[in-house]
Amino acid sequence: MFLGVDYYPEHWNEDMLEEDLNNIIELGSNVIRIGEFAWHMMESEEGKFDFSYFDHVINEAKKKGLKVIFGTPTATMPAWLAKKHPDVLGEFEDNTKRVFGGRRQYCFNSKTYYKYSETIIRELANYFKDEEAIVAWQIDNEFGHEGSDVCYCNECKKVFREYLRKAYNNDIDKLNEIWGTRFWSQTYNDFEEIPIPAKTITTHNPSLRMEWERFRSLSVENYAKFQVEILKEILGEDSVIIHDFSGGYFDKSFDKSFDFSKVAKHIDVVAYNNYPVWGGQKEPIPPHEIACGLDFMRGAKRQNFWITEAIMGAQGHDVIGYLPRPNQAKMWSYQAMAHGCNSLMYFRYRGATKGAEQYCYGIIDQDNRKRRKFYEVQDFFKDMKENEHIINSEIKSEVAVIYDYESMASFRIQRQSFLMDYKKEVYRLYRPFYENNINIDVIPSYVDFNEYKVLLIPTMVVFKPKVQERIKEFVKNGGKVVFSFRTAVKDYYNNLTLGELNPSFYNELIGGFVEEVESLQEGQKVKIKGIDEFIGIEGSGTVFRDMLKTTTSESLFMYDDEFFNELSAITLNKYGDGEVYYIGTGVDNNIMNIIAKKILSESNIEVIESEEGIEVVKRKVNNEEYYFIMNHTALTKEFNGICLSSYESKIIKR
């Protein structure tokens, strides 16, 4: 287990190094993370390499017993490279060049940037290949973050068309037929006529836009794979390669994004930069959203992960955000460990006094004094070391959330409702199970999920026949599935299916079909009412509504509507030995709580009761059970006779 800090020694006078390292040791650290933004220090002019500064830093760290995580510096190119080869800079939608001066300005398809990236990575890796203090190598930094995965340059146009040629077997007629390009006279005679979907009047073809999403994701994946292959070649297959993914994956449903899980396949350890609050936010995101992000990261490779940036102070680039209250940021670190993190570094040791991140406060602020935050980290590291065997244990889950990159992309392309937000629909299903203190995996649709009892599948608008068959087989064999509205509406190419009732190719599975649909707008709610076992229970739905006609399923809730009161809002169908729920609208929390309780009870999944605001995560080690307990509130709470003050966390043996 590695515990430590993100340290940028190049930002400080050299005579501060020893004192800084002593303080880092005093914290209880055993690792520092360095190098990721220092390309110019390593190559101040083209071909003029000098790694002596970091050689010195590593040697001094070794004297103190510290290990090192070293980053390839490709996220921040040097100015001389941008000046000499402006073609490496990405382009915005209006074809203006990104200006040197931020970070991640490069184009993921630039052959020139590939060339210079390879050179610096090879030189760096060869120089330090025998350095035993380096325990892991980080590639780049937060791929795609801040819209950096999107580029509209001529190189991207060229590579995109090559991608399409390969995807459609160089058959333009096939592409035209699948995309339906006769619509609006968009038929192409040649692949060279196909545009990238920049701004136009109205909108581009949804199939074109879906392929653009896939292409951009593949571009990031290829660049990541390229870096990993170089490092493995030089350092050996046993070397540990990581990447630090940015947070808020599901937040990017209407921003640009890439498939994190595809990049994760190429690295050894998934690392995560966890920011429960950021600049301008008046309060942190809710605990269940933090937890879901952690479970998502664990699910990317289905193994424990690292956090390379945990916060301790207030954060922001231009605007400072909420200050974590005493013990609150420490509690988020406990929560991370509870959900599968087994190595953690804080961003950053000392807050910067120069540059764009001056208001990203660290463990120590610019006054360079040890205060509350320092001692909170020290206490946290001490507790983690004492519980390392629990921290390293595997998390076993009986419930999984299944997400789908193309479905997220489809909603980016055609929202269907102004209120549609993919992450909220993920959280709508995740939250009630989380609040029952059960372990949940968050995994992509293409991985095996037969080990679970329950699958939660939010708004999987794009259907894939292979995935559908696996889901049907899962239910046949006794599993329970929960679908939410807009399931299986679009095919792989982002087209509707002629002659198919929605959800397409799922009618038998859900025991019915969607008869009518409606997008709901701001302030609109539809009433729903329970029948049979739920009679007397009333609730509401927002965002959208699929109105269901049943065949073999039973109705649990109906729409309480003068026009559509014979159509179902929530149904339950028995299929083989299993069951399928279809939730046809964005139901309120109370209704979701009721459905979750029913599923958990009938699935014989252990529920751990706790006060509101108390999170409990169970871990099992050598047939002994332990609880992580975390108080997410500013109030004193109690769990099993144990008193927890505001934002306090504990690890206890059951």
Side-chain angles (χ1 to χ4, degrees), residues 510-515 547-551 553 566-568 571:
I510 74 159
F513 55 89
V514 177
E515 176 79 352
M547 291 172 271
L548 296 152
K549 192 108 146 157
T550 61
T551 51
S553 63
E566 294 184 357
L567 296 175
S568 300
T571 61

Side-chain angles (χ1 to χ4, degrees), residues 583-632:
I583 301 176
T585 185
V587 297
D588 61 62
N589 285 354
N590 182 53
I591 300 297
M592 275 306 313
N593 291 344
I594 290 169
I595 297 297
K597 285 283 190 184
K598 175 179 170 66
I599 292 169
L600 289 168
S601 174
E602 294 176 358
S603 302
N604 294 314
I605 295 173
E606 180 188 6
V607 170
I608 303 172
E609 300 285 348
S610 66
E611 288 188 58
E612 184 178 354
I614 295 292
E615 178 181 359
V616 184
V617 179
K618 185 174 79 172
R619 300 286 280 275
K620 195 170 182 179
V621 184
N622 298 326
N623 294 319
E624 293 181 322
E625 291 183 352
Y626 298 85
Y627 286 157
F628 288 79
I629 51 176
M630 293 142 287
N631 182 3
H632 287 274

Side-chain angles (χ1 to χ4, degrees), residues 267-280:
I267 58 179
D268 299 297
V269 177
V270 167
Y272 180 37
N273 297 341
N274 187 32
Y275 289 86
V277 70
W278 183 249

